[in-house]
Amino acid sequence: MSGAEEIAALDFASVTPEEFARIVKGLSAKEINEVARDETLRTRVLKEVFGRMERQFKPDVAGSLEALIRWKVTGQDEVPEAVYETKISGGTCTVSEGRSDAEPRTTLIMGDADFLKLVSGNSSPVTMFMMRKVKIAGDVALASGLARYFDIPKA
């Protein structure tokens, strides 16, 4: 089964974050980009990943942090860029699809494969930034430490 077929067959409601991390770890960037070419499947995967952020948020670690983080997952070929925003405020995390009028404290820009590797704990944000796989606009320190605010599985 190809990477795209494996992800397409997933019942996201029953896949744990650890299982998802293991699946992503086993996929090459080429296989992830194959998934991303199917706009319906890509949208499904992104909605699931961002939907889990609220559940994996660690309010005790975030404390009094107030931040709007904008995520731009660049598309390829004919697939458009996907934009989501994560708002951390008052010990809660809310995620919305699309770009608001609010000014983000930091913006992270990356391709589909790098995004999935990052959010599944299969790649270091600092390493990705140093290798220019992730572009950051705004508060670089916040961006580099985002992982600590979420319970990110290890594959």
Side-chain angles (χ1 to χ4, degrees):
M1 186 181 296
S2 77
E5 292 168 337
E6 187 173 4
I7 289 180
L10 284 180
D11 172 11
F12 285 112
S14 66
V15 174
T16 67
E18 292 76 19
E19 289 172 304
F20 186 72
R22 182 189 47 75
I23 291 166
V24 171
K25 184 176 187 174
L27 299 175
S28 68
K30 182 179 177 185
E31 288 172 311
I32 293 171
N33 287 329
E34 179 185 326
V35 170
R37 280 190 194 90
D38 178 336
E39 198 169 343
T40 303
L41 180 55
R42 177 184 189 244
T43 299
R44 195 172 135 225
V45 169
L46 289 174
K47 282 183 185 284
E48 181 61 30
V49 168
F50 281 104
R52 288 180 182 212
M53 278 187 182
E54 292 177 3
R55 296 190 302 272
Q56 291 175 243
F57 178 65
K58 297 195 244 178
D60 52 323
V61 176
S64 62
L65 177 66
E66 298 285 325
L68 177 67
I69 298 104
R70 184 170 292 147
W71 303 80
K72 292 183 180 181
V73 183
T74 57
Q76 58 184 340
D77 302 327
E78 301 299 314
V79 179
E81 173 179 89
V83 177
Y84 283 81
E85 292 182 341
T86 306
K87 182 179 181 182
I88 298 173
S89 179
T92 63
C93 173
T94 54
V95 176
S96 57
E97 186 175 356
R99 178 189 173 106
S100 71
D101 291 333
E103 189 63 33
R105 186 155 153 196
T106 193
T107 300
L108 293 93
I109 306 159
M110 68 203 84
D112 289 281
D114 294 320
F115 172 74
L116 283 185
K117 294 285 185 185
L118 178 70
V119 298
S120 65
N122 285 299
S123 198
S124 158
V126 174
T127 302
M128 292 178 78
F129 176 69
M130 299 301 274
M131 295 177 67
R132 298 179 185 214
K133 291 181 179 249
V134 174
K135 294 180 181 115
I136 299 170
D139 189 336
V140 175
L142 172 65
S144 67
L146 273 178
R148 73 174 168 257
Y149 301 119
F150 298 90
D151 182 18
I152 298 175
K154 299 290 178 237

